Amino acid sequence: MTDPHAIQPSALDQLPDRDPEETAEWQASLDAVAQAAGPHRAAYLMRRTLERAEGNGIALPKLLETDYVNTIPTAAEPATPGDEAMEARITAWNRWNAAAMVTRGAKHGVGGHIATFASAAWLYETGFNHFFRGKESQDSPGSGDQLYIQGHASPGIYARAFLDGRLGEEHLDNFRQEAGGNGLPSYPHPRRLPWLWEFPTVSMGLGPLSAIYQARFNRYLTHRGIKDVSASHVWAFLGDGEMDEPESTAALALAAREELDNLTFVINCNLQRLDGPVRANFKIVQELEAQFRGAGWNVIKTLWGSAWDELFQLDTTGALVRRLREVPDAQVQTYQTRDAAYIRQDFFGADPALAEMAKLLSDDKILECFHLSRGGHEARKVYTAYKAAVEHKGAPTVILAQTVKGHTLGEGFASKNANHQMKKLSVDEFKAMRDLLELPIRDSDFVDGVVPYGHPGADSPEVRYLQERRAALGGPAPARRTHALAPLPAPADKTFASFDKGSGSQNVATTMAFVRLVKDLVRDKETGKRWVPIVPDEARTFGMESLFPSLGIYSPKGQTYEPVDRDQLMYYKEATNGQILNEGITEAGSMADFIAASTAYSTHGEAMIPFYIFYSMFGWQRTADQMWQLGDQLGRGFLVGATAGRTTLTGEGLQHADGHSPVIAATNPAALTYDPAFAYEIATIVKDGLRRMYGEAAPGEDPNVFYYLTVYNEPMPQPAKPSGLGIDEGIVKGLYRFNTAESAGVSAVADAPRIQLLGSGTAIHWVLKAQKLLAEEWGVAADVWSATSWTELRRDALEADAALLRGEERVPYVRQALQSAEGPVLAVSDYMRQVPDQIAQWVEQDWSSLGADGFGLSDTREAARRHFGVDAESVVVAALAQLARRGEVKATAVKEARGRYGL
């Protein structure tokens, strides 16, 4: 059997030891301390030695965990500026009104959360009083700090806005009652309350991810010379339970790698999730500390309040610190609800040294420590942590602040597993809370059992103090500004018109056409610098490598190496002022980039034009939640789903074969979804998007939208734009006639049966081939239509239906466009049939559709299309079947066609 005390092989054995005798002496000294004073004393000395080494600049791996105590000791706490007593009164009013608002709303059954803000109140109030810059900050005018507020704490933010006069009682009484137009959204939501909220945060995990990329985008703006926002600081308020979400920690390494010291995470460690403890049998603070330290973050633990100082001074043996480290979170929560006798027995009774210490403590002292005294509940502790965070350079900071969920709400709430679902306090509980907070609210103010709102008066010392502090920091916060930006000048028409002539005999994929358009647009003298190309490590797949040397890939480090392909024309070039955001293999990170860039017009008063190009399968399927976040945040820009469709990406198979993204995109009201077939359509759509989002939107148009374009990797000849009126209008609205049987030169006899073929994206090419086959082999005349957006056609039709119900006469555009078209309609898409079927109910002609339903597969394009029944021959058979049902061709023609084409 191996001796457990024997010295085991070490990686250090590989390194030469120039003085083995000296090494042995150090080891022997450590052994002697452990034997004489105990292993805990030896560990303490080792920790002190490592601290000294770090302070002297000696490079050593850092310990990932520290003791379960505050990072900054009481003796090192700076004096807190301001009037602590005044700030306590302000916080008391906000606690009261937050709870009152939710309780009053409970009678309407709309719910709300009380316990989160109760635990986090001082985390917010300290920031509002001393740290969070507003939009009028002299340090960062027009930008200020960016605040990612924890969603369940929103009642506390509303309460503060009520105190400072930005909200009235009627607003608070409409909490979660928005249908009347004067309500407050349940959570931070820019689209619903655009003057207050900047960032939606309640899709948990997306807030921390977005905060990291927002801090990174701030650096991008500064390094590129767009706007100096180096004084802006990003604050993300998170719950310890929220850190379970993988997105919450997905980009920690990026933040450390790029030294984002303009970023602070504040994690409210009340040790509770929605249903119970976060780490019932473990310690979430220690786990998070190790995770963040390992990723390279500066970690500040603010765990215990000042009442614990006496206990730590009595801990001469280290027994208290050891016990705090070993007690699991669920037991800490239990201590908060139990009496002093239980705590004496269970906590102090576990160690003789602690039992002796407990004899020196009164029951009141024990209850004060275990029931009330947490670092996150004391303004001085929180101020100390925030000050250390903003002064730390070279790395982002996370503050792990321990609190009690439901603090000050009474024994029925504090640390109870069910408190997240508890939506109201009783009148008696409110009166007890009033007494605890020492608020001047009378019993007679509770009329008919309704809890009153409390306000010290618009000219009270509390309100004046609050407003003076916010004025000194640059105005109210949180606050969203819709800056009065001048429309961006439109790029020259020739940039777009160059696509109208087509590509002649040259085969060009629409992906390449889009990239070429962007290359032209980024050269524009007025707006070129405002384009933000974003790609998740697939630039070469999409033919974007030519942009590397001309635009550069953004890196705060610049390029510290000589690229292997430096002697090539399209070498890999990184630069501090690089324009391209090449994010590596992270669609979620790329979307977070896009959101930051797409909302810079409001966050910083700088209109940026992001386009994010990605494998279409890895867009809406993988990151649709962030695309909702994008719509919630009123983002603007272009999402480009490349290698689109079910059958165009040969060989990649099921996981890459996208047949459904437009269906998912159609569910998002802010997404304008287009499936263009030709290069000139892409140019027309992008031109209109720039006008709508960044130029002069037409009356009734919402500029706060984003465009989703599908582009294909299938090289095909690009035709010239058809002549005639209404082509551009049809492209933008979603449908126009590309040709007729006659104009295509494939018309049959004058009285031939006629059918209308609608195709979108790459399917237009099968439709055009089918048009020719129908005429030459079956005597059928087919007109071909390009359906650039099934979704926009549907939305227009839905709006027309709603107008009719209001008594207005309006005909859907799709019906107008097809009103004189003869014969039935057959719609074809490289997506599932549900995509074109969106418009079926508004088409007066007989309707049928073809699409690539089911799972994708690996094969050639031709084989895949035959498999799904969407190739040209399948279109011919489907067209003949429609005409046969109408008696316009012989029924035998369908069987004959199937045999001829081997279907």
Side-chain angles (χ1 to χ4, degrees):
M1 179 177 291
T2 302
D3 180 0
H5 300 291
I7 298 176
Q8 301 298 312
S10 165
L12 294 175
D13 295 339
Q14 302 176 68
L15 307 178
D17 188 345
R18 68 178 186 181
D19 192 343
E21 184 176 345
E22 181 184 37
T23 303
E25 289 175 356
W26 276 75
Q27 292 173 330
S29 297
L30 180 64
D31 292 342
V33 171
Q35 293 171 4
H40 302 299
R41 177 60 181 170
Y44 179 83
L45 291 176
M46 287 299 299
R47 291 273 300 278
R48 281 297 193 187
T49 302
L50 289 172
E51 283 183 356
R52 176 58 63 88
E54 184 176 357
N56 288 337
I58 300 173
L60 285 172
K62 293 184 178 180
L63 295 177
L64 294 184
E65 287 186 31
T66 61
D67 287 324
Y68 202 69
V69 297
N70 294 348
T71 301
I72 304 173
T74 300
E77 292 174 2
T80 305
D83 186 332
E84 291 187 41
M86 181 67 73
E87 292 173 16
R89 291 202 297 274
I90 291 170
T91 304
W93 284 116
N94 292 337
R95 286 182 181 278
W96 177 272
N97 288 321
M101 174 174 56
V102 175
T103 298
R104 286 165 69 116
K107 66 181 179 182
H108 302 293
V110 295
H113 300 288
I114 299 178
T116 295
F117 179 72
S119 69
W122 275 113
L123 302 180
Y124 291 104
E125 292 299 322
T126 303
F128 285 128
N129 287 329
H130 300 288
F131 291 94
F132 303 157
R133 295 181 182 90
K135 294 293 185 184
E136 287 77 45
S137 166
Q138 293 182 357
D139 295 334
S140 189
S143 298
D145 288 352
Q146 287 76 58
L147 308 180
Y148 288 77
I149 304 295
Q150 191 179 3
H152 296 144
S154 63
I157 309 304
Y158 291 140
R160 193 170 222 274
F162 170 65
L163 203 64
D164 73 10
R166 291 195 291 166
L167 293 175
E169 287 192 16
E170 68 281 5
H171 294 107
L172 302 191
D173 271 342
N174 282 323
F175 176 59
R176 292 194 170 194
Q177 298 171 73
E178 300 177 78
N182 196 34
L184 299 179
S186 52
Y187 303 128
H189 207 306
R191 190 167 285 275
R192 288 297 180 211
L193 202 62
W195 60 267
L196 180 71
W197 297 119
E198 280 197 284
F199 308 106
T201 54
V202 172
S203 192
M204 290 191 179
L206 298 190
L209 179 68
S210 293
I212 290 172
Y213 280 89
Q214 181 66 57
R216 196 285 196 91
F217 190 73
N218 289 358
R219 291 281 175 83
Y220 173 89
L221 287 177
T222 300
H223 287 157
R224 288 199 54 221
I226 302 294
K227 182 180 182 181
D228 184 358
V229 291
S230 55
S232 289
H233 201 88
V234 178
W235 299 82
F237 289 84
L238 316 168
D240 47 0
E242 183 177 2
M243 303 311 292
D244 288 344
E245 292 284 3
E247 297 88 350
S248 294
T249 55
L252 298 186
L254 167 73
R257 184 170 64 246
E258 301 208 0
E259 300 179 354
L260 298 180
D261 50 26
N262 61 337
L263 170 67
T264 297
F265 275 17
V266 181
I267 303 182
N268 179 17
C269 298
N270 56 35
L271 314 185
Q272 288 185 246
R273 289 197 191 109
L274 309 186
D275 288 334
V278 178
R279 292 290 184 271
N281 297 298
F282 307 95
K283 300 188 81 63
I284 184 60
V285 168
Q286 300 299 89
E287 178 182 323
L288 292 176
E289 179 184 29
Q291 196 167 13
F292 278 87
R293 284 189 187 277
W297 286 53
N298 175 45
V299 179
I300 299 174
K301 294 197 291 192
T302 303
L303 307 179
W304 307 112
S306 55
W308 283 82
D309 289 348
E310 180 183 342
L311 275 67
F312 289 124
Q313 290 172 1
L314 293 172
D315 185 28
T316 57
T317 65
L320 177 62
V321 172
R322 292 195 299 274
R323 182 66 176 143
L324 289 174
R325 190 167 58 235
E326 69 189 20
V327 174
D329 282 353
Q331 192 64 17
V332 173
Q333 182 182 347
T334 296
Y335 292 148
Q336 206 283 328
T337 64
R338 302 300 289 270
D339 60 20
Y342 177 88
I343 299 170
R344 284 182 186 278
Q345 178 181 348
D346 191 87
F347 180 85
F348 291 97
D351 186 295
L354 289 181
E356 289 300 313
M357 178 190 297
K359 294 177 181 179
L360 303 175
L361 304 174
S362 67
D363 285 355
D364 288 344
K365 182 64 177 182
I366 289 175
L367 293 179
E368 180 187 14
C369 289
F370 284 85
H371 285 193
L372 302 174
S373 188
R374 301 290 188 274
H377 295 324
E378 294 189 14
R380 184 179 294 271
K381 302 289 186 185
V382 176
Y383 178 87
T384 296
Y386 286 7
K387 187 174 187 293
V390 297
E391 291 177 353
H392 185 81
K393 301 303 177 186
T397 293
V398 60
I399 296 169
L400 304 174
Q402 186 164 263
T403 66
V404 173
K405 194 167 185 177
H407 183 61
T408 73
L409 297 181
E411 294 181 359
F413 262 83
S415 281
K416 297 295 192 241
N417 282 335
N419 62 19
H420 188 78
Q421 280 69 41
M422 298 163 69
K423 311 302 182 187
K424 59 184 178 179
L425 294 169
S426 68
V427 170
D428 287 341
E429 287 172 324
F430 265 108
K431 289 179 179 178
M433 180 182 177
R434 171 202 62 190
D435 295 341
L436 176 65
L437 298 177
E438 299 180 348
L439 291 172
I441 296 173
R442 299 165 300 188
D443 286 355
S444 59
D445 293 332
F446 292 82
V447 179
D448 296 328
V450 176
V451 59
Y453 293 120
H455 200 293
D459 196 40
S460 65
E462 292 92 337
V463 172
R464 288 201 307 271
Y465 181 90
L466 181 155
Q467 294 175 342
E468 288 167 1
R469 291 304 310 139
R470 289 311 316 156
L473 289 165
R480 181 180 181 275
R481 292 286 185 267
T482 302
H483 299 269
L485 299 178
L488 292 183
D493 282 341
K494 66 180 182 180
T495 304
F496 306 100
S498 64
F499 292 84
D500 292 351
K501 61 185 179 181
S503 65
S505 60
Q506 181 184 5
N507 289 333
V508 177
T510 52
T511 301
M512 296 300 101
F514 179 83
V515 171
R516 181 192 144 192
L517 174 62
V518 170
K519 287 173 66 176
D520 293 341
L521 290 170
V522 296
R523 294 191 186 104
D524 184 83
K525 292 182 179 179
E526 297 291 336
T527 60
K529 68 178 182 179
R530 296 191 177 274
W531 283 86
V532 184
I534 303 168
V535 61
D537 197 45
E538 291 283 2
R540 297 184 192 278
T541 300
F542 307 135
M544 291 175 59
E545 66 269 28
S546 62
L547 298 178
F548 289 169
S550 58
L551 300 183
I553 300 165
Y554 172 72
S555 170
K557 298 284 188 182
Q559 193 156 41
T560 61
Y561 60 92
E562 182 177 355
V564 67
D565 53 1
R566 181 62 181 85
D567 57 341
Q568 298 179 14
L569 181 63
M570 293 182 286
Y571 69 95
Y572 196 82
K573 177 187 175 183
E574 296 187 82
T576 305
N577 63 346
Q579 193 163 351
I580 301 169
L581 292 173
N582 191 326
E583 286 307 348
I585 305 175
T586 168
E587 285 82 9
S590 300
M591 270 305 303
D593 263 337
F594 188 91
I595 291 169
S598 71
T599 54
Y601 73 93
S602 62
T603 307
H604 295 299
E606 295 288 345
M608 304 299 288
I609 312 171
F611 83 86
Y612 165 36
I613 188 167
F614 49 88
Y615 269 102
S616 64
M617 187 69 157
F618 303 145
W620 286 92
Q621 174 167 304
R622 180 168 290 186
T623 57
D625 197 8
Q626 287 177 286
M627 292 168 182
W628 275 99
Q629 181 188 13
L630 169 64
D632 292 346
Q633 202 166 315
L634 289 79
R636 305 170 184 175
F638 297 94
L639 295 176
V640 184
T643 60
R646 185 80 82 190
T647 69
T648 64
L649 190 56
T650 56
E652 295 287 356
L654 179 115
Q655 291 184 337
H656 288 67
D658 178 17
H660 48 276
S661 283
V663 177
I664 307 173
T667 65
N668 190 312
L672 277 60
T673 302
Y674 287 90
D675 188 23
F678 306 123
Y680 68 79
E681 293 178 351
I682 292 172
T684 301
I685 293 165
V686 171
K687 180 181 179 181
D688 188 70
L690 291 173
R691 174 200 61 79
R692 177 169 177 172
M693 295 185 291
Y694 300 97
E696 296 285 357
E701 278 188 326
D702 182 3
N704 299 315
V705 295
F706 59 93
Y707 283 62
Y708 172 56
L709 284 73
T710 57
V711 294
Y712 297 83
N713 70 326
E714 187 170 11
M716 301 292 287
Q718 294 297 321
K721 180 189 287 189
S723 59
L725 297 174
I727 298 297
D728 285 1
E729 178 189 25
I731 291 172
V732 172
K733 288 192 172 182
L735 183 68
Y736 69 98
R737 183 155 48 196
F738 176 72
N739 68 21
T740 63
E742 292 75 15
S743 67
V746 295
S747 59
V749 296
D751 60 347
R754 186 170 289 269
I755 188 169
Q756 307 299 316
L757 301 179
L758 279 58
S760 67
T762 198
I764 201 79
H765 300 290
W766 327 327
V767 168
L768 288 169
K769 182 180 178 182
Q771 179 190 43
K772 184 176 181 181
L773 291 173
L774 283 167
E776 295 177 352
E777 301 186 12
W778 305 99
V780 172
D783 300 336
V784 173
W785 298 71
S786 180
T788 54
S789 180
W790 309 101
T791 302
E792 287 307 293
L793 291 173
R794 175 179 175 80
R795 287 176 177 168
D796 171 80
L798 290 171
E799 291 173 4
D801 286 356
L804 286 173
L805 294 177
R806 296 192 300 267
E808 305 171 19
E809 289 296 327
R810 183 175 164 191
V811 179
Y813 174 79
V814 62
R815 188 169 294 166
Q816 295 177 47
L818 294 171
Q819 63 184 354
S820 61
E822 299 177 27
V825 170
L826 173 60
V828 187
S829 166
D830 201 23
Y831 290 92
M832 56 196 300
R833 287 179 59 184
Q834 187 175 339
V835 176
D837 284 349
Q838 291 180 86
I839 66 169
Q841 72 186 81
W842 293 282
V843 175
E844 294 180 318
Q845 294 90 339
D846 291 342
W847 173 271
S848 184
S849 64
L850 295 176
D853 286 71
F855 289 106
L857 48 79
S858 298
D859 214 314
T860 64
R861 293 185 181 114
E862 293 75 14
R865 287 162 188 168
R866 178 57 58 91
H867 170 81
F868 286 110
V870 293
D871 59 352
E873 292 78 8
S874 298
V875 174
V876 170
V877 171
L880 292 174
Q882 269 190 291
L883 292 169
R885 285 193 295 271
R886 294 162 59 93
E888 297 181 21
V889 301
K890 295 179 180 180
T892 56
V894 179
K895 182 177 180 180
E896 182 183 348
R898 286 203 304 268
R900 181 181 301 181
Y901 301 134
L903 297 175

